[in-house]
């Protein structure tokens, strides 16, 4: 049975990434799995789910959704995301009560992969777009694979702050990334996005209340800055349209073509690892074909934030990598935290 181990591994990850609430809750779940019948009932059939399935996050995300929807009022008193005050010992009985009362909904949540649209990663995207726009002062066509709800397709509508007091973006934006960037400076450029297209196997409709609830439920409840960014991004999405399509990455790339008088930018973050080996090969072949068709009048840029190695044998880092054609130049622009901010520029 892999379940207790999976919950402990996820608890450690939450501790390292800044969520002491989930670190404590997931550790308690792992400790109590053998003795609390309701946990066994809900997790029945998932005992041997592999680690990458994120079973622990599916469970607590399903519970968080009940809290956010107002269907777990007793537990809400302990969830910071709705104004509660977290204490594991105080919350644990209410957590178990919620599992019993909302069992069917929480079991159903285990069959859905966690959906995240981490707005903080827009700092890596916008930093890359500034480089692209400085080198190719053309209107930008922005395409994202693994876009979830497509919120980062509106990255140019967010505000980015640096510790030195400088900033970029609309002063009245409801999304503020602080600190967005540290380290090297970024070029001054006019970012003009004229097309925004995202694809995802199961795109989230951020214009709908259920879609917004889905994304909010997978943000860890004690990470209030992330929740604020996400809610602000919903406001931006209401006024800035984007074309979100339910399709896979390879299909989207095969349908993508460069356009004269514009620079086409392909962006993705923390999704490449989930592609099959076959799809990675197909995607790489299509990227090579797009690169070969690039000219000074229709340049192509591939921008990504993924766990990569700088060189063979090196440790993996969360690298912000930009490659542009027709030159083919590849640059590591910096590194980023898993949730995006800050992006450390090099």
């Amino acid at each position: 049975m892999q379940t207790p181990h999976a919950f402990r591994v996820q608890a450690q990850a939450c501790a390292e990434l800044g969520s002491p609430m989930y670190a404590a809750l997931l550790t308690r779940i792992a400790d109590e799995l053998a003795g609390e019948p309701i946990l066994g009932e809900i997790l029945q059939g998932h005992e041997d789910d592999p680690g990458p399935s994120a079973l622990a996050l599916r469970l607590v995300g399903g519970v968080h959704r009940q809290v956010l929807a107002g269907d777990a009022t007793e537990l809400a008193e302990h969830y910071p995301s709705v104004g509660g005050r977290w204490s594991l010992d105080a919350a644990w009985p209410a957590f178990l009560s919620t599992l019993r009362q909302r069992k069917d909904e929480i079991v159903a949540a285990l069959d859905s992969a966690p959906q995240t649209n981490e707005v903080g990663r827009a700092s890596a995207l916008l930093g890359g777009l500034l480089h692209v726009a400085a080198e190719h002062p053309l209107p930008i066509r922005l395409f994202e694979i693994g876009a979830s709800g497509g919120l980062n397709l509106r990255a140019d509508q967010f505000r980015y702050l640096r510790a030195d007091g400088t900033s970029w973006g609309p002063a009245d934006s409801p999304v503020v990334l602080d600190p967005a960037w540290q380290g090297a400076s970024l070029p001054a450029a006019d970012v003009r996005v004229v097309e925004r297209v995202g694809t995802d196997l199961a795109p989230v409709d951020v214009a709908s209340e259920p879609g917004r609830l889905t994304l909010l439920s997978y943000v860890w409840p004690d990470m209030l800055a992330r929740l604020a960014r996400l809610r602000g991004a919903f406001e931006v999405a209401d006024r800035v349209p984007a074309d979100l399509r339910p399709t896979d990455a390879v299909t989207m790339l095969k349908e993508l073509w460069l356009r004269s008088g514009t620079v086409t930018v392909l962006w993705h973050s923390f999704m490449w690892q989930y592609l099959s080996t076959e799809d990675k090969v197909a995607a790489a072949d299509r990227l090579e074909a797009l690169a070969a068709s690039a000219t000074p009048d229709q340049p192509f840029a591939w921008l990504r934030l993924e766990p990569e190695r700088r060189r063979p044998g090196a440790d993996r880092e969360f690298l912000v990598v930009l490659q542009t054609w027709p030159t083919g130049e590849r640059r590591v622009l910096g590194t980023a935290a898993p949730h995006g901010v800050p992006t450390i520029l090099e």
Side-chain angles (χ1 to χ4, degrees):
M1 182 177 181
Q2 300 178 21
T3 309
H5 174 71
F7 275 78
R8 294 185 197 283
V9 169
Q10 186 61 63
Q12 181 61 36
C14 290
E16 294 172 355
L17 294 175
S19 178
M21 173 184 169
Y22 267 5
L25 178 59
L26 292 171
T27 298
R28 175 65 68 86
I29 292 172
D31 291 343
E32 300 287 348
L33 272 173
E36 285 290 351
I38 188 59
L39 289 171
E41 291 173 23
I42 285 178
L43 296 173
Q44 186 176 5
H46 294 274
E47 293 86 354
D48 294 314
D49 282 10
S53 71
L55 176 63
L57 294 183
R58 294 179 191 227
L59 173 62
V60 292
V63 173
H64 192 200
R65 186 186 185 98
Q66 302 307 308
V67 171
L68 292 167
D71 294 327
T73 54
E74 180 185 6
L75 186 58
E77 297 178 9
H78 308 285
Y79 269 57
S81 55
V82 291
R85 185 172 182 177
W86 174 251
S87 165
L88 176 61
D89 289 338
W92 183 247
F95 182 83
L96 294 178
S97 178
T98 299
L99 294 184
R100 297 186 190 101
Q101 294 173 16
R102 310 300 298 183
K103 177 181 173 181
D104 291 346
E105 293 87 345
I106 294 168
V107 167
L110 299 182
D111 292 327
S112 300
Q115 269 281 13
T116 56
N117 202 154
E118 189 51 63
V119 178
R121 294 171 189 163
S123 62
L125 170 58
L126 199 282
L129 289 181
L130 285 169
H131 279 279
V132 171
E135 296 160 19
H136 305 283
L138 296 167
I140 294 171
R141 302 167 66 225
L142 181 58
F143 294 81
E144 181 177 12
I145 51 178
S148 186
L151 296 176
N152 284 337
L153 290 167
R154 288 89 166 183
D156 57 314
Q157 301 298 311
F158 304 162
R159 187 156 185 82
Y160 303 81
L161 306 183
R162 296 191 66 142
D164 62 5
T166 60
S167 62
W168 192 97
D172 61 348
S173 176
V175 178
V176 178
L177 303 185
D178 181 18
W181 305 304
Q182 295 178 358
S185 60
L186 285 164
D190 180 19
V191 175
R192 294 175 291 148
V193 180
V194 296
E195 188 174 358
R196 308 169 196 268
V197 179
T199 64
D200 196 277
L201 290 175
V204 177
D205 179 7
V206 296
S208 72
E209 190 59 32
R212 295 183 176 193
L213 196 58
T214 293
L215 293 180
L216 288 166
S217 70
Y218 287 112
V219 177
W220 302 343
D222 54 341
M223 304 191 82
L224 300 184
R226 290 178 62 202
L227 286 162
R229 290 196 294 263
L230 185 54
R231 291 188 171 106
F234 293 153
E235 294 183 38
V236 174
D238 283 340
R239 62 175 184 260
V240 180
D243 181 3
L244 202 57
R245 305 170 183 174
T247 190
D248 62 275
V250 174
T251 298
M252 191 276 264
L253 290 173
K254 289 180 178 178
E255 295 174 350
L256 178 60
W257 299 91
L258 308 187
R259 182 180 299 165
S260 177
T262 65
V263 54
T264 300
V265 178
L266 174 69
W267 152 257
H268 56 84
S269 63
F270 291 90
M271 60 77 61
W272 197 259
Q273 60 193 313
Y274 298 113
L275 294 179
S276 67
T277 300
E278 180 181 2
D279 282 349
K280 286 179 181 177
V281 171
D285 288 345
R286 181 57 187 155
L287 286 168
E288 185 176 340
L290 287 167
S293 67
T295 67
D297 183 57
Q298 55 178 36
F300 174 54
W302 180 21
L303 175 61
R304 58 195 184 269
L305 169 58
E306 299 284 355
E308 296 189 43
R309 294 184 174 91
R310 292 177 187 260
R311 62 193 66 84
D315 291 338
R316 291 186 183 275
E317 303 175 75
F318 301 129
L319 297 182
V320 184
V321 180
L322 173 64
Q323 194 163 2
T324 55
W325 290 271
T327 64
E329 181 183 9
R330 178 187 183 277
R331 286 166 287 172
V332 175
L333 301 181
T335 59
H339 297 138
V341 289
T343 294
I344 312 299
L345 303 169
E346 300 178 0

